Amino acid sequence: MTHPIFRKDIFIGTPFEIRFQAMLRSTLYKRSWHLIVADPGAGKTMGIRELVRTIGSPTILAVVAPKNNEDESALGNQLWSALGLSLRGHWSNRKPKLMGHLHQYGTQCLIVDDAHDLEFQHLLFIKELTDQGRLQYDHPLGLCLVAAGRGDTIPLKETLYQPDPTWLQFRRRLDKLEPFCKIPGHTSEEVREILAALETVYCEVLPQLNLRQWSSSIYTWLTQLALDPTNSGRVTMDNLMTLVTAALEWSYEAKATDVLAEMLEKAASLLVLHRDTLKLIDGAGPSTEAPGPPSTEQGNGSKTEPETKPEREVTQADHDSHNTETVVTAKDQEQTVKPPKCTFPGKVEISLKRFQDGGTQLVECSDCGRTRTLTPLKGLIKFPSHEKRKTTTPNIGKRWAKIGSDWDVVGS
């Protein structure tokens, strides 16, 4: 079985997180504005979440940029909800009050994750909101737009550098010395530091774990072109954790006390060489249980041999034949137990007025006990034809039907 520790989100103070959180803290204390860029999977969201947990909300208010919704209310409602406020009322009535709530709650810094998804209207709303804070409350707000990007690309730069006065004012609010910041991933030495930290985390399940001996190989695998298309020579935390945890999990299932070299190579191959390979998931699909241990020698010294192709074909044919027979048998049984038609003629001799005054339309057949709805038609009341119940009531001569709480003789 897979150990639960491999399914937990573990925060490690990696060199990237130290650099990234230092930039966020600087924004908080200086109330400055920055656009921070890092590679996808570097650990931006994890770092923001840990910083908010450490410092506390709403001192730092962190939201995610709305996707596929360019309305300013999409971002405004996220800020409103992050403060723990109800979204009752129309946005036009709540919008003027938002900055007042930020001032009241002591918010000092706004962080927008996935800022590369921000639309034109969202940026205008941020400018308007912070301008209102300066003018009405003398309350400056720090702003961190955290975006994903590779290489030297700067998301939102084309928008921010438009010649309109609005964007000129927006650029003037950016920090004068560090308006655009790039937080790189991990070097080879930093990968070794992270592996040393992971040894402490996973020593519970692999007591003799020594990951540092593989640091050079892991760094080489994770800086291949498939995982590092810009040739930056840096490793992201997401790729590192994916490779390491997969190898550790497989090693644990193999009852090893240290990571197995073949498991590391297998994980690296799947992550690098077969990253874009289409895998067919057929049959019952992946199992939630861990795969069983490999076959071992039995007491008589023989080994469990794999099935040959002819044996598999015979087994499959027997299986299909068994399934076909089962279906036919079930169908035959269904037809056998199908109840016959009830012989009740269906004529109900009762006055239409009394039937309507009775206040009910559901009656019970005197032959088999089935209940059906009586519907008046052209002055007559007909009991629909029906199948007998499996458990029938004995016929005692006269036919009776229950209408409401009374029994009446019906038919002949």
Side-chain angles (χ1 to χ4, degrees), residues 35-40 44 115-116 145-161 179-184 229-230 232:
L35 175 60
I36 303 177
V37 184
D39 289 334
K44 301 180 294 297
H116 49 271
L145 302 179
V146 180
R150 291 189 181 276
D152 297 329
T153 59
I154 303 177
L156 302 177
K157 187 174 181 179
E158 292 183 0
T159 301
L160 298 179
Y161 274 83
F180 306 109
C181 305
K182 171 76 175 182
I183 311 295
T230 60
S232 65

Side-chain angles (χ1 to χ4, degrees), residues 221 227 243 250 263-274:
W221 289 329
L227 303 179
L243 187 149
W250 295 335
M263 298 304 179
L264 277 171
E265 293 174 354
K266 178 183 176 182
S269 175
L270 292 174
L271 190 62
V272 179
L273 299 180
H274 304 286

